[in-house]
Amino acid sequence: MGEKKDDYLKYMTERAVAYWSPEAAEIRQARKQRREPWATRWFGVLPFGVSMWWGQLELRKHKSRAEARTKDSVAETPSQ
């Protein structure tokens, strides 16, 4: 029974040392780094700028619709 515990402890120690070694940390860091999107690689920041611009246009469109609805509802209510 004591041998199994010693073998398991040795195995876990080896795994922990391998996990925390500097080489393993570099490998984990490399995995975390993602490749940038193809649009950015090919065209730079231009696609990002266009998406921001498009988002602002959509926001303005929705905002103006909401304002028009509130103005219409205020105009429809009878005043005393």
Side-chain angles (χ1 to χ4, degrees):
M1 192 81 167
E3 270 183 49
K4 289 183 181 179
K5 289 181 183 177
D6 291 339
D7 290 340
Y8 183 71
L9 184 61
K10 182 180 175 183
Y11 169 75
M12 291 304 294
T13 306
E14 288 173 359
R15 296 281 299 194
V17 169
Y19 182 79
W20 294 108
S21 70
E23 298 87 21
E26 291 172 4
I27 291 170
R28 282 193 306 277
Q29 184 66 24
R31 280 187 200 153
K32 286 183 182 179
Q33 290 178 344
R34 286 189 40 205
R35 205 165 135 182
E36 57 187 346
W38 68 270
T40 304
R41 278 190 297 153
W42 282 51
F43 304 110
V45 185
L46 186 64
F48 179 68
V50 169
S51 67
M52 285 183 60
W53 173 72
W54 190 263
Q56 288 296 322
L57 286 178
E58 291 293 320
L59 183 64
R60 287 181 190 160
K61 184 171 36 171
H62 291 296
K63 207 182 257 188
S64 65
R65 285 182 184 169
E67 289 173 359
R69 272 191 241 129
T70 56
K71 287 179 185 176
D72 290 341
S73 63
V74 170
E76 290 175 3
T77 56
S79 59
Q80 295 179 3

